[in-house]
Amino acid sequence: MTLAENRIGLIAGSGPFPILFAKKAAARGYEVFAAAFHHETDPALAGHVAAMEVLHLGQVGRLTRFFRKHGVQSAVMVGAIQKPRAASEIRPDIKALSLLAAVRKDTHDDRLLRAFARFLEKEGIIVRSSTFLLPELLARPGCWTRKKPSKKERSDILLGWQKAKAIGALDIGQCVVVENGSVLAVEAIDGTDATIKRGGGLGRGNAVVVKVCKPIQDFRFDVPAVGARTIEIMHECGGRVLIVEAGRSLVFDREEMVKLADQYGISIEALADMQEQSQKKQG
Amino acid sequence: MTLAENRIGLIAGSGPFPILFAKKAAARGYEVFAAAFHHETDPALAGHVAAMEVLHLGQVGRLTRFFRKHGVQSAVMVGAIQKPRAASEIRPDIKALSLLAAVRKDTHDDRLLRAFARFLEKEGIIVRSSTFLLPELLARPGCWTRKKPSKKERSDILLGWQKAKAIGALDIGQCVVVENGSVLAVEAIDGTDATIKRGGGLGRGNAVVVKVCKPIQDFRFDVPAVGARTIEIMHECGGRVLIVEAGRSLVFDREEMVKLADQYGISIEALADMQEQSQKKQG
């Protein structure tokens, strides 16, 4: 690898995934430079990267200067950035203001991120999917756990898949929680963990969690990710089956995740498409 | 009125609406006979009806015997019945078991209610829309409050309407909470109050709440209802605009509701259809 190819920028949101990503990337010989955010990024990330700059939301100029200083030419976005509650949490610099102006009125998450990615490209930093350097993180098809979904659960899986795809098509969220033929919870801006807690809490301890890609998903950001923490949350609140989309979801800590699921008697399955499920249901 | 026409059965779920219905019906000269449910119905309903029988979910035979004893030939369903968490809360009698068997595997709310309505009709009790005797409860088109939605809010109203209709078409829920172009929360089995609390809590104090009918809505049950409590909840958690569907939503306590909204500076508007809003947005 040349110097630049060896270096990767990590635009790090909340949750455990930025650290998991940094560890995996380091293990593969990458030097990781992290742009972190106040109130969002786990400060412990600093211990797993070559350098880290902690920013306020909106400090786009500082972000590009940081990456340039370290010779970073491509970056990934890992972890969610919540929309700030208070305007005071955002400190838009001049570059951020011109970026926001370009997004027009529609502030829906993906559009803002796409505009941000376009902006970074103009500044010489290519935003890539986090899977381009770690393709092994993509969910492999099949059932990963000792426990397989039951015939009764298959019916909820099918329902949940259909609803989750429809919710994704509406650009609302990626995850639904289903039990006994009813949709218990739909993810919106609150995120998957909160949705699982809510849905599980409304069920009778047999919830099926389905997390899928949007029909139009930009794989540079917000790729559906699951991990050991997902299984812990499911265990706490009555989730019995986790369904993800094979080849289109990220798993940063698969081994630990499957070990936990086996311990709790939870099933994890990665499905390729509706067709596959319909066939399984008939079989 | 003949004796039977004067008597109305009230199958009473949770929340304030059964009592509000009973008061309105009594004021119009109806004798109300309430079938209430343990852990669901406000016991105070007993003070507003001619007679009340408190049942466990599933005691269908007792319910029909109660109505027959009092010469009730038509009934309305008001208020939500949550799906019970524990099987021990349901005490299905023989009639309920035959009813459940007829619903087959699909236990989605509306189907179960439709099957229940068909069953009651066979038993000589017609289930009617709660608006058949109180048509004045239907939401009148237009803005009801001193404060009108702003131009910026109109854009969220349009987005919310589209998403809520789509969520309804998926048979998931009736209500969404929107702010600044993002869907903050989607109602599933948790109900409207919980959805407003959640969505409002995730916003910045300018949430638009849209509650609509499903494209295919059986008006005998689960007609979207709002009231003073809706406004109280919105006030507590940053809801600024409430949109309902004109002529297809129930309002049991309109005067108190509008008074509260005026006090809090909240807008309430009942819209007839998408077309109307698109025109307003362009205007």
Side-chain angles (χ1 to χ4, degrees):
Chain A
M1 297 190 215
T2 69
L3 189 68
E5 276 173 353
N6 192 33
R7 297 184 168 202
I8 185 83
L10 169 58
I11 300 168
S14 61
F17 299 137
I19 289 181
L20 291 168
F21 175 88
K23 281 184 181 173
K24 290 267 180 189
R28 285 274 298 266
Y30 287 95
E31 259 195 300
V32 180
F33 296 88
F37 297 92
H38 287 288
H39 311 301
E40 292 285 343
T41 315
D42 185 342
L45 177 60
H48 302 276
V49 295
M52 180 161 110
E53 183 97 344
V54 183
L55 309 167
H56 287 276
L57 289 174
Q59 295 186 315
V60 174
R62 256 185 85 191
L63 184 144
T64 52
R65 281 195 301 278
F66 169 70
F67 282 160
R68 254 197 231 112
K69 188 177 110 188
H70 292 289
V72 168
Q73 290 176 4
S74 59
V76 296
M77 294 186 189
V78 178
I81 301 282
Q82 296 295 322
K83 286 200 173 183
R85 284 165 178 243
S88 63
E89 289 174 28
I90 317 180
R91 310 216 179 148
D93 53 28
I94 289 174
K95 288 195 171 175
L97 286 175
S98 66
L99 169 65
L100 283 169
V103 184
R104 294 175 309 159
K105 282 177 70 182
D106 191 329
T107 57
H108 214 290
D109 295 13
D110 270 14
R111 301 222 182 163
L112 189 55
L113 290 172
R114 268 194 286 274
F116 181 53
R118 277 195 303 272
F119 166 83
L120 287 180
E121 286 189 17
K122 275 188 205 156
E123 301 278 321
I125 297 148
I126 313 266
V127 177
R128 310 188 68 169
S129 163
S130 47
T131 57
F132 96 95
L133 75 168
L134 297 171
E136 71 271 26
L137 297 180
L138 286 173
R140 275 170 262 170
C143 183
W144 306 350
T145 48
R146 282 202 293 271
K147 191 152 175 290
K148 316 291 170 215
S150 67
K151 203 176 167 185
K152 187 157 178 286
E153 286 164 345
R154 288 257 165 248
S155 151
D156 281 343
I157 290 169
L158 186 65
L159 179 72
W161 188 279
Q162 290 165 339
K163 303 295 183 188
K165 280 288 174 189
I167 294 296
L170 291 167
D171 210 11
I172 290 176
Q174 300 174 328
C175 173
V176 300
V177 181
V178 173
E179 190 176 304
N180 201 22
S182 288
V183 178
L184 301 177
V186 172
E187 179 186 4
I189 215 164
D190 48 347
T192 299
D193 291 356
T195 304
I196 296 174
K197 281 180 198 166
R198 180 155 42 87
L202 290 163
R204 298 181 209 169
N206 296 303
V208 172
V209 175
V210 181
K211 185 167 185 178
V212 299
C213 285
K214 293 175 188 172
I216 302 166
Q217 176 92 41
D218 190 324
F219 279 87
R220 294 172 301 173
F221 24 79
D222 206 25
V223 180
V226 291
R229 194 169 72 161
T230 314
I231 300 301
E232 287 287 9
I233 292 169
M234 287 178 63
H235 176 60
E236 280 163 27
C237 63
R240 306 301 302 153
V241 179
L242 175 65
I243 299 295
V244 296
E245 195 163 350
R248 305 183 75 203
S249 314
L250 286 171
V251 192
F252 292 97
D253 50 357
R254 184 185 149 116
E255 266 184 48
E256 192 194 342
M257 185 187 184
V258 172
K259 197 177 144 191
L260 266 181
D262 280 339
Q263 189 180 317
Y264 296 144
I266 289 173
S267 320
I268 307 173
E269 189 165 305
L271 294 172
D273 56 28
M274 272 305 305
Q275 191 104 26
E276 187 182 337
Q277 284 175 87
S278 300
Q279 283 161 1
K280 277 191 189 174
K281 207 198 171 193
Q282 285 158 15
Chain B
M1 297 190 213
T2 68
L3 188 68
E5 276 172 353
N6 192 34
R7 298 183 165 201
I8 186 80
L10 169 59
I11 300 168
S14 62
F17 298 137
I19 289 180
L20 291 168
F21 175 88
K23 281 184 183 173
K24 290 266 179 190
R28 285 277 297 267
Y30 287 95
E31 258 193 301
V32 181
F33 296 87
F37 297 93
H38 288 290
H39 312 301
E40 293 286 344
T41 316
D42 185 342
L45 176 61
H48 302 276
V49 294
M52 181 160 111
E53 182 97 344
V54 184
L55 309 167
H56 287 277
L57 289 174
Q59 294 186 315
V60 174
R62 256 184 85 190
L63 184 144
T64 50
R65 280 196 302 277
F66 169 68
F67 281 159
R68 255 198 231 113
K69 188 178 112 188
H70 292 289
V72 168
Q73 290 177 3
S74 59
V76 297
M77 294 186 188
V78 178
I81 301 282
Q82 296 296 321
K83 286 198 174 185
R85 285 164 177 244
S88 62
E89 289 174 28
I90 317 180
R91 309 214 179 151
D93 52 28
I94 289 175
K95 287 194 171 175
L97 286 175
S98 66
L99 169 65
L100 283 169
V103 184
R104 295 176 309 159
K105 281 176 71 184
D106 192 330
T107 56
H108 215 291
D109 296 13
D110 272 13
R111 301 222 183 163
L112 189 55
L113 290 172
R114 268 196 283 276
F116 182 50
R118 276 195 304 273
F119 166 82
L120 287 181
E121 286 190 17
K122 276 188 205 155
E123 300 279 320
I125 297 149
I126 314 270
V127 177
R128 309 188 69 170
S129 162
S130 47
T131 57
F132 96 95
L133 75 168
L134 297 171
E136 70 270 27
L137 297 181
L138 285 172
R140 276 170 262 172
C143 184
W144 306 349
T145 47
R146 283 202 291 271
K147 190 150 175 294
K148 316 292 169 214
S150 68
K151 202 173 167 186
K152 186 155 176 289
E153 286 165 345
R154 288 255 165 250
S155 150
D156 280 343
I157 290 169
L158 186 65
L159 179 71
W161 188 279
Q162 290 165 337
K163 303 295 184 189
K165 280 287 175 190
I167 294 296
L170 290 167
D171 210 10
I172 290 177
Q174 300 174 328
C175 174
V176 301
V177 182
V178 173
E179 190 175 305
N180 201 23
S182 288
V183 178
L184 301 177
V186 172
E187 179 186 6
I189 214 165
D190 48 347
T192 300
D193 293 355
T195 304
I196 296 174
K197 281 180 199 167
R198 180 155 41 88
L202 291 164
R204 298 181 207 169
N206 296 303
V208 172
V209 176
V210 181
K211 185 166 185 179
V212 299
C213 285
K214 293 174 187 172
I216 302 165
Q217 178 92 41
D218 191 323
F219 279 86
R220 293 173 300 173
F221 24 80
D222 206 24
V223 179
V226 292
R229 192 167 75 161
T230 315
I231 300 300
E232 287 288 8
I233 292 169
M234 286 178 62
H235 176 61
E236 279 162 28
C237 64
R240 307 300 303 153
V241 179
L242 175 65
I243 299 296
V244 295
E245 195 164 349
R248 304 182 76 201
S249 313
L250 285 171
V251 193
F252 292 96
D253 51 358
R254 186 185 147 116
E255 267 184 47
E256 193 193 340
M257 186 187 183
V258 172
K259 197 177 144 191
L260 267 180
D262 280 340
Q263 188 181 318
Y264 295 145
I266 289 173
S267 320
I268 308 173
E269 189 164 304
L271 294 171
D273 56 28
M274 272 305 304
Q275 191 104 24
E276 186 181 338
Q277 285 176 84
S278 301
Q279 285 161 0
K280 279 192 187 174
K281 205 196 170 191
Q282 286 158 15

